[in-house]
Amino acid sequence: EYPFDVPGMPSRLEGREAIRKHVVESRRDIRSLVSIDDIESTVHRTADPNVVITESDVTGTTLATGEPFRFRSGVAVVTVRDGEVVGFRDYMNVLGAARITGGRGELVKGVTASPT
């Protein structure tokens, strides 16, 4: 789930194949835009033993400018049942991702476009 509207992305995906396809397609060009050096995640336990919250920080270089970056890529709420992930709510840092990939203009267009 993406609880905050992300232009061009579904708000919810169901099933492994739909998730796999979305992850592959939505990140297809990322390696031509950035070089990721490290992803550091922090896991926070909650009162519910089946739910954890994760924070991820990404460091790397924007290839078009050669500028290094470090940003909080997002926070996720993960629900696990019987050893399987049954819920993943991704509060993605859309502005940060757009900044490091050079996609701020596209983000602004997507946010300001009239609904169809």
Side-chain angles (χ1 to χ4, degrees):
E1 278 182 64
Y2 296 102
F4 300 137
D5 263 347
V6 179
M9 291 180 65
S11 61
R12 185 176 176 86
L13 296 158
E14 293 282 340
R16 288 177 193 233
E17 192 51 41
I19 294 166
R20 186 177 292 118
K21 181 179 177 185
H22 168 72
V23 169
V24 168
E25 289 178 5
S26 67
R27 289 151 178 85
R28 183 177 312 280
D29 298 325
I30 195 74
R31 289 185 183 180
S32 67
L33 302 171
V34 298
S35 172
I36 296 175
D37 298 326
D38 190 38
I39 300 174
E40 185 177 310
S41 295
T42 303
V43 177
H44 303 278
R45 295 180 191 267
T46 68
D48 182 339
N50 296 315
V51 177
V52 296
I53 297 170
T54 66
E55 296 178 280
S56 297
D57 291 300
V58 179
T59 56
T61 305
T62 299
L63 297 177
T65 64
E67 289 292 317
F69 64 80
R70 178 178 177 89
F71 81 109
R72 172 79 27 95
S73 68
V75 174
V77 178
V78 184
T79 305
V80 177
R81 195 170 299 118
D82 298 324
E84 301 264 331
V85 174
V86 296
F88 189 95
R89 197 170 306 129
D90 190 350
Y91 295 91
M92 179 189 325
N93 179 350
V94 178
L95 184 56
R99 180 181 55 81
I100 68 162
T101 61
R104 282 184 285 198
E106 290 300 313
L107 178 61
V108 169
K109 279 191 227 173
V111 169
T112 58
S114 298
T116 55

